[in-house]
Amino acid sequence: MAIKTQGDEPGRGSDDAVRFGRRVDSSDNRVRMTEAVVVIELRKNYGAVEAVRGVTFEIARGECFGLLGPNGAGKTTTIEILEGLLHPTSGQARVLGRRWGADDDEIRERLGVCLQQTVLSPKLEVHETVELFRSFYRAGRAPADMIAEVGLTEKAHARVGALSGGQRQRLAVACALIGDPELLFLDEPTTGLDPQSRRQVWDIVNEFKSRGRTALLTTHYMDEAERLCDRVAVIDHGRIIAQGSPDELIHSLGGDHVVEISVGDNGSSRLDAGRLTDLPAVRAVHQEVGVWSLAVTEPHVAIPALLDHLRDDSHELLRLTTRHASLEDVFVALTGRHLRDE
Amino acid sequence: MSDPRAMRRRDAFLALIFARWREIYREPEVVTWSIVFPVVLSIALSIAFRNRPAETATVAVVAALENERITRILRNTPGIEVRVVEDAVAAAHALRMGMAAVVVVKDADGVVYRLDPTRPEALLARSRVDDALQRSAGREDPLPTREESVSEAGARYIDFLIPGIIGMNIMGGGMWGVGYHLVDMRIKRLLKRLMATPLRRGDFMLAQMIVRVVFVFAEVGFILTFARLLFGVPVRGSIIAIMFVSGLGGLCFAGLGVLTASRAMTIEKATGLMNVTQMPMFVGSGIFFSAERFPAVIQPFIQALPLTALNDALRSVILEGSGLISQAHEIALLASWGLVSFVLGLRYFRWD
């Protein structure tokens, strides 16, 4: 892989740690009040397995932050430590200016939590489930309003067991929002849902964001992260390998566009990554199972040059597509793998 | 309750109780296991161990002039049915086919009983026939004896059985209704989800226990009503005493349910643990037969089991009308089992 960006600098994670460390060391009240979540050098081991290996990030109030990574990257472990459900092996996690172990009741009053794949009691009705969760909180929303907001009014008297997957997930989100939380944790909120259901969940999260609340979500869908998150941390093998807004991360590829080509085997020479990288407006080149992906700043400059290059070496062009770069491309550029490779 | 925090806790507590109650009565299996199963079981066992009418001994006598006196005497004896046959061949046939237990023949030396001594009913018939003939010939019994038959309500097998079935149901309900339910919630990550709310763990557990006890009241009331209407099982103790013992039993086994469910991460492991816990009590604690049948060596162990105490207390209170004071030992044993297992279970409970 030839790439002209800083994306895979090995020291990037620890640079962040230094930067955040400095800000938090001066931990005055101003920092505490503005940050909804502060995580410093968080580690979690399960026996010999290091699930989280020194994760550092912070989430400002009113921000929607995404942990983007493949399955097993350490996303769920990280979010469950922040939810107060797991104890870290080492490192710090502050939530709403408080620390787990000291102010647990107070933090829980102000948190909304949607775990990965919770099965709510199938024998209870939708409104009974929401009312049950409402009873746990000091203050909160009216259950009927909450049910309406997630679009389940018609199903209010249906048993949970009779709901579709998408409806169940919206109910789970309603249970997370019923205490009117300041901070919402969503662990893989749309995994396994159909496109329409995913969009409905996104609408609910966007509505929550629009009221100035803070959210942390984990996902392995790049489109979800792009659509919902103000900032994203790309996490892989328990480490954060890149962090920034979706636009920043895509820019870091060096080109906002991706041109993909595949060619026949009959050229006078094999295509060469170095020579493709030298083409004008091409910033990075990546090859995978016969498809060459070029990160490109200006497609109208790069494509004619590319076509000239193919004609000169008499390569047969089998396919050419061009699209806007995505976080998926960022992940591929950083790790050489796709988000959903298992 | 003007303190808003206390009020909110109470609301959450009540909401949990109602939610659990709804889950239970909306589960068809619950009705099957706690109501239908004990009823069917007690009907089946009451048929198998029914009190049979006194057996009649059938005796064959050949129709002949010299046998007429014998036939008359035996016909007038209760418990003997006389079958008059044509000749010796027919008599032998009746004996072979089991239509008669004894063939009575008069000859010159006296009376001959022809029978197969390996058949118990043959010996019974012989003894009755002999008694009747000897007495009519003038025998006087030197020791006067008489019989009293016991089959009054309260002393039959079904009367013994019903409190045992109630005890068995309280044990099963506590172990499965609380223990299995908790493991199921753990596997579905519902426990973890609840722990991410401000709900208190102790309140959650207490709500589970209370719902269990309320359900025990309903269950016991139903089985006792049924037993009384169908079998005439007497309910001699006070309702308060019966419900106190049942409710305490419910709490005790709910505590054992919490303990067995405290660590298990799979249904298989939980099911295995619960079966292992229940098995000694199922066999030894006097559900279907008295625990006294076991040898003295293992009696201390059997008497220490909570179900033995529960069954003993239920039988005393229901069948004999005993008061609670007389059951202090059993009550203390149940309370200790329940408390220790609940505290240990909560101490080692795995919430995620």
Side-chain angles (χ1 to χ4, degrees):
Chain A
M1 181 174 66
I3 189 161
K4 300 182 205 169
T5 68
Q6 86 289 22
D8 58 347
E9 281 172 31
R12 190 173 157 86
S14 48
D15 283 349
D16 283 345
V18 171
R19 184 166 60 84
F20 291 130
R22 210 181 299 126
R23 279 174 68 179
V24 176
D25 282 343
S26 69
S27 68
D28 54 357
N29 285 334
R30 193 183 49 76
V31 171
R32 285 183 167 203
M33 292 310 290
T34 52
E35 307 304 337
V37 173
V38 177
V39 175
I40 302 163
E41 273 299 303
L42 201 65
R43 287 174 190 277
K44 176 71 181 178
N45 301 341
Y46 294 104
V49 181
E50 296 175 279
V52 175
R53 305 194 282 179
V55 162
T56 298
F57 62 87
E58 60 188 60
I59 306 173
R61 299 232 175 194
E63 191 176 35
C64 181
F65 190 83
L67 286 174
L68 177 68
N71 290 338
K75 305 187 298 290
T76 295
T77 304
T78 305
I79 202 168
E80 287 191 351
I81 290 171
L82 292 174
E83 288 163 350
L85 298 173
L86 289 176
H87 294 293
T89 306
S90 67
Q92 277 192 46
R94 274 173 186 280
V95 176
L96 298 170
R98 295 166 193 268
R99 202 191 294 261
W100 284 110
D103 286 321
D104 293 14
D105 286 355
E106 208 42 50
I107 304 177
R108 289 208 166 95
E109 288 284 356
R110 295 152 71 196
L111 280 194
V113 168
C114 189
L115 299 178
Q116 196 181 131
Q117 291 159 355
T118 304
V119 183
L120 293 164
S121 177
K123 298 286 170 193
L124 295 183
E125 293 174 5
V126 167
H127 75 100
E128 291 166 349
T129 306
V130 176
E131 284 157 14
L132 176 65
F133 276 86
R134 172 65 187 86
S135 76
F136 302 152
Y137 294 90
R138 209 161 41 204
R141 314 271 306 273
D145 294 351
M146 196 65 247
I147 291 170
E149 191 178 307
V150 300
L152 288 175
T153 303
E154 277 178 28
K155 293 281 176 186
H157 291 276
R159 298 251 178 111
V160 173
L163 299 182
S164 71
Q167 290 166 337
R168 275 181 216 199
Q169 187 61 13
R170 277 185 278 150
L171 176 61
V173 176
C175 292
L177 292 174
I178 190 68
D180 199 17
E182 289 168 45
L183 175 58
L184 174 66
F185 289 122
L186 297 162
D187 195 359
E188 308 239 348
T190 66
T191 297
L193 298 189
D194 59 273
Q196 196 197 344
S197 300
R198 298 182 67 204
R199 206 148 301 162
Q200 287 168 328
V201 171
W202 292 345
D203 288 345
I204 300 166
V205 178
N206 271 324
E207 151 67 22
F208 178 76
K209 274 171 61 182
S210 72
R211 290 190 285 123
R213 305 296 170 90
T214 313
L216 168 62
L217 64 90
T218 72
T219 183
H220 59 253
Y221 295 120
M222 41 120 191
D223 55 338
E224 184 161 279
E226 278 169 45
R227 214 175 268 253
L228 292 179
C229 297
D230 304 309
R231 283 196 308 126
V232 169
V234 181
I235 184 165
D236 190 36
H237 296 311
R239 286 203 178 90
I240 290 179
I241 53 174
Q243 202 172 159
S245 72
D247 281 348
E248 281 167 12
L249 291 174
I250 290 166
H251 277 304
S252 74
L253 287 173
D256 291 359
H257 298 269
V258 175
V259 174
E260 288 174 341
I261 58 166
S262 45
V263 297
D265 295 332
N266 54 350
S268 57
S269 63
R270 297 190 67 80
L271 274 182
D272 172 70
R275 289 179 63 196
L276 288 176
T277 311
D278 290 338
L279 293 173
V282 173
R283 290 290 172 268
V285 173
H286 172 77
Q287 191 212 5
E288 188 183 17
V289 285
V291 178
W292 292 83
S293 298
L294 286 62
V296 161
T297 50
E298 293 165 304
H300 62 281
V301 174
I303 291 171
L306 174 66
L307 294 177
D308 287 344
H309 174 71
L310 294 179
R311 192 174 49 238
D312 292 348
D313 284 5
S314 43
H315 286 289
E316 181 194 3
L317 182 62
L318 300 179
R319 190 174 80 117
L320 182 146
T321 57
T322 177
R323 58 181 170 80
H324 211 265
S326 71
L327 286 175
E328 178 85 19
D329 299 303
V330 175
F331 189 80
V332 172
L334 292 175
T335 65
R337 291 177 288 121
H338 285 274
L339 273 168
R340 285 196 272 163
D341 281 353
E342 291 311 326
Chain B
M1 285 247 205
S2 53
D3 177 14
R5 195 168 283 244
M7 262 176 66
R8 196 264 315 240
R9 256 186 90 179
R10 190 197 56 190
D11 289 351
F13 191 61
L14 289 177
L16 274 172
I17 286 178
F18 282 119
R20 180 71 191 120
W21 184 253
R22 290 186 181 112
E23 283 177 340
I24 288 179
Y25 76 69
R26 288 174 187 170
E27 189 79 64
E29 287 86 348
V30 170
V31 179
T32 310
W33 285 109
S34 50
I35 307 287
V36 179
F37 178 70
V39 165
V40 171
L41 188 62
S42 38
I43 291 176
L45 288 173
S46 70
I47 292 171
F49 296 98
R50 70 190 179 279
N51 294 30
R52 293 188 182 84
E55 254 173 76
T56 323
T58 313
V59 179
V61 185
V62 176
L65 202 61
E66 66 270 26
N67 287 341
E68 252 170 34
R69 200 179 111 81
I70 290 177
T71 309
R72 204 174 57 246
I73 294 166
L74 294 182
R75 281 219 166 109
N76 291 330
T77 310
I80 293 179
E81 190 193 325
V82 181
R83 186 181 283 259
V84 179
V85 291
E86 273 181 37
D87 51 20
V89 178
H93 178 74
L95 191 63
R96 256 198 328 275
M97 299 308 286
M99 292 182 292
V102 179
V103 176
V104 183
V105 180
K106 177 131 176 53
D107 68 5
D109 299 332
V111 177
V112 179
Y113 302 132
R114 212 165 279 151
L115 61 111
D116 174 357
T118 63
R119 285 163 60 186
E121 74 273 19
L123 298 174
L124 176 75
R126 179 201 171 281
S127 135
R128 279 191 189 158
V129 169
D130 194 47
D131 271 357
L133 295 181
Q134 297 292 359
R135 275 189 197 143
S136 75
R139 185 183 83 186
E140 297 259 345
D141 292 334
L143 178 67
T145 57
R146 62 202 161 86
E147 277 180 24
E148 273 176 16
S149 56
V150 182
S151 65
E152 62 179 298
R156 303 162 304 169
Y157 180 66
I158 186 71
D159 305 313
F160 176 86
L161 181 67
I162 289 292
I165 296 260
I166 291 177
M168 180 188 77
N169 241 36
I170 290 176
M171 171 173 78
M175 301 291 283
W176 297 111
V178 175
Y180 185 91
H181 175 64
L182 289 174
V183 176
D184 188 50
M185 283 185 82
R186 180 181 297 133
I187 292 166
K188 290 176 173 164
R189 299 165 63 90
L190 205 47
L191 275 182
K192 197 173 195 172
R193 178 65 189 87
L194 290 180
M195 288 317 108
T197 72
L199 176 67
R200 287 170 188 238
R201 296 171 179 202
D203 289 1
F204 167 78
M205 279 299 183
L206 204 59
Q208 305 296 312
M209 308 283 276
I210 285 182
V211 174
R212 178 60 207 145
V213 171
V214 173
F215 197 81
V216 163
F217 292 155
E219 217 174 12
V220 171
F222 181 88
I223 298 176
L224 276 184
T225 308
F226 154 83
R228 186 169 190 165
L229 293 179
L230 200 68
F231 298 116
V233 172
V235 181
R236 299 199 171 107
S238 77
I239 297 297
I240 291 176
I242 295 172
M243 288 306 173
F244 179 85
V245 171
S246 311
L248 185 64
L251 281 176
C252 171
F253 285 103
L256 267 176
V258 171
L259 181 61
T260 45
S262 58
R263 304 297 298 167
M265 292 292 281
T266 62
I267 287 293
E268 289 77 9
K269 202 171 270 181
T271 310
L273 269 175
M274 284 177 198
N275 283 333
V276 165
T277 313
Q278 292 182 83
M279 193 48 78
M281 291 186 265
F282 208 78
V283 176
S285 285
I287 298 172
F288 305 106
F289 55 89
S290 171
E292 307 288 332
R293 288 207 186 186
F294 288 97
V297 193
I298 61 166
Q299 279 299 332
F301 169 73
I302 283 183
Q303 294 302 325
L305 294 173
L307 186 59
T308 314
L310 179 60
N311 283 342
D312 285 353
L314 283 172
R315 286 199 174 105
S316 298
V317 174
I318 294 173
L319 300 178
E320 292 163 15
S322 308
L324 290 176
I325 311 268
S326 67
Q327 302 304 308
H329 174 77
E330 282 77 10
I331 288 173
L333 197 77
L334 284 173
S336 317
W337 268 104
L339 197 68
V340 169
S341 46
F342 183 70
V343 168
L344 280 180
L346 209 56
R347 167 88 178 67
Y348 294 103
F349 203 81
R350 191 196 290 250
W351 291 92
D352 56 354

